[in-house]
Amino acid sequence: MPTDTSASASRNTTAITGNAIVRVGPVNPTVAKALAEEFDSLILPAAGAERDTFLQVHADAIRIAVCSGKIGVDTELMSRLPNLEAVINFGVGYDATDFSQAAQRNIPISNTPEVLTDCVADTALGLYLSTLRSLCAAERFVRNGTWGKGENFPLATRASGKRVGILGLGRIGQAIATRLEAFGCEIHYHNRSQKPGVSYTFHGSAAELAAATDVLIVAAAGGPESANLVDGEVLSKVGTQGFLINIARGSVVDEAALVHALQNGLIAGAGLDVFAKEPTVPQALLALDNVVLLPHLGSGTHETRADMAAMTLDNLRSYLADGSLVTPIS
Ligand code: 8YV
């Protein structure tokens, strides 16, 4: 019989206490409170001399990292934690964590799927409607008194009945598609693989999808595989009458190419909840009236964040109890 040399085979079976759990970056307040009060866990200082000293003292003891989708366990940090056993991630996206290194070292990662699908899809629809119908610019037009002076707001673009391309037909992409069906839209998609049993039209590339549709909605997971998937070429296919909506990750879109396309009228407009270097939004985007800009609030409701916090803590408790995760990434 082959010998199992995996990390799980040789995993430390002693109980995990507070100084073996580290919080990485800011996390949801409920999670932060539980980590401090229930688990008495450590907090990783920001990168720099303080972190170096902290790691000299604690690195060998740390077995679990709890992080968010914004600040994860990146390549450097993970390589400095030789006995890391599990990463508990608040958020469905875990691209801020080095998941390749985690896979190589047999370190499982949990995330928070399902519970945020509806809210993120709702946000996509909000961006879809407000971008095509210029609702945010129209609101500014009322508030700044232009309407009161008797001017008419410029006509916008019909949102119902459009051909919409979903880039990444996972749970969130499918929830967006279902909502758009109610608006009479014709749904197309591109995904790493064609989805069995899905009636929407599949396209073999992001460029083909953009060329066949009026609006491109980005719902693909972030990470090295999808980086700059929406580049200048794809944007040129979105076209002068077309729109881009992104509720996924800023990294999926070449932001410089997007700014260029918007400034030069190569696309009609964009609705963005995510950016390349959050919370920084390029000045060029702030200056444009045909973009709707949101502060990465896709899952940001009381109900959903409470569900995400509960799922995060369920994963932590489960790992502490028997070494299993409730929602490991698949
Ligand atoms: C959160 C998200 O804002 O789940 C995700 O991947 O992008 C959002 O729900 C983020 O993860 C908070 O850390």
Side-chain angles (χ1 to χ4, degrees):
M1 231 169 86
T3 317
D4 186 354
T5 53
S6 68
S8 58
S10 57
R11 189 149 282 158
N12 186 347
T13 50
T14 54
I16 298 175
T17 54
N19 72 348
I21 304 171
V22 69
R23 188 188 108 189
V24 177
V27 291
N28 164 275
T30 306
V31 176
K33 192 166 183 287
L35 285 176
E37 294 175 4
E38 187 182 338
F39 300 101
D40 192 24
S41 62
L42 302 167
I43 298 178
L44 182 76
E50 209 192 326
R51 175 179 293 191
D52 293 341
T53 310
F54 172 94
L55 288 174
Q56 275 161 19
V57 178
H58 297 289
D60 286 351
I62 290 171
R63 294 168 61 187
I64 300 180
V66 181
C67 63
S68 77
K70 283 184 186 148
I71 300 183
V73 185
D74 63 16
T75 306
E76 201 221 332
L77 176 59
M78 197 176 286
S79 57
R80 292 175 78 181
L81 299 174
N83 298 313
L84 188 67
E85 288 176 26
V87 176
I88 314 280
N89 179 70
F90 177 93
V92 70
Y94 48 85
D95 48 308
T97 286
D98 182 351
F99 50 87
S100 305
Q101 186 183 154
Q104 275 163 20
R105 288 175 51 187
N106 218 349
I107 298 169
I109 302 173
S110 68
N111 66 344
T112 62
E114 315 268 358
V115 288
L116 45 61
T117 300
D118 283 337
C119 275
V120 178
D122 293 348
T123 302
L125 261 290
L127 274 176
Y128 176 83
L129 291 175
S130 53
T131 304
L132 271 70
R133 296 298 307 272
S134 303
L135 297 182
C136 296
E139 212 254 3
R140 291 191 287 275
F141 180 87
V142 174
R143 284 184 189 273
N144 69 21
T146 316
W147 192 43
K149 286 185 201 139
E151 279 193 39
N152 288 323
F153 188 72
L155 300 181
T157 301
R158 179 188 290 173
S160 291
K162 285 280 180 278
R163 294 170 305 166
V164 180
I166 314 260
L167 185 57
L169 200 70
R171 280 180 286 250
I172 293 172
Q174 299 210 24
I176 296 169
T178 306
R179 283 158 174 73
L180 285 167
E181 283 188 58
F183 285 81
C185 292
E186 184 185 299
I187 311 294
H188 299 237
Y189 76 101
H190 168 65
N191 200 58
R192 272 173 300 188
S193 56
Q194 192 164 356
K195 293 264 171 183
V198 164
S199 59
Y200 308 137
T201 310
F202 175 76
H203 296 268
S205 72
E208 282 170 33
L209 179 68
T213 53
D214 306 303
V215 182
L216 183 64
I217 301 188
V218 183
E225 271 184 43
S226 64
N228 288 345
L229 188 57
V230 178
D231 57 9
E233 194 216 333
V234 173
L235 290 167
S236 74
K237 308 283 186 211
V238 169
T240 54
Q241 305 301 308
F243 295 84
L244 177 82
I245 306 294
N246 188 4
I247 49 78
R249 283 291 183 265
S251 61
V252 186
V253 176
D254 179 342
E255 203 166 71
L258 175 61
V259 167
H260 175 79
L262 286 162
Q263 283 179 327
N264 293 284
L266 305 181
I267 70 171
L272 308 170
D273 185 41
V274 288
F275 302 87
K277 291 194 177 76
E278 295 173 8
T280 303
V281 176
Q283 192 58 39
L285 289 179
L286 297 173
L288 289 166
D289 221 26
N290 59 340
V291 292
V292 177
L293 305 169
L294 300 181
H296 196 152
L297 52 67
S299 65
T301 62
H302 295 295
E303 297 92 331
T304 290
R305 287 288 166 83
D307 290 346
M308 291 165 71
M311 193 174 265
T312 303
L313 294 170
D314 282 351
N315 275 291
L316 178 56
R317 291 191 190 103
S318 168
Y319 193 82
L320 294 180
D322 62 13
S324 71
L325 295 172
V326 183
T327 51
I329 61 168
S330 48

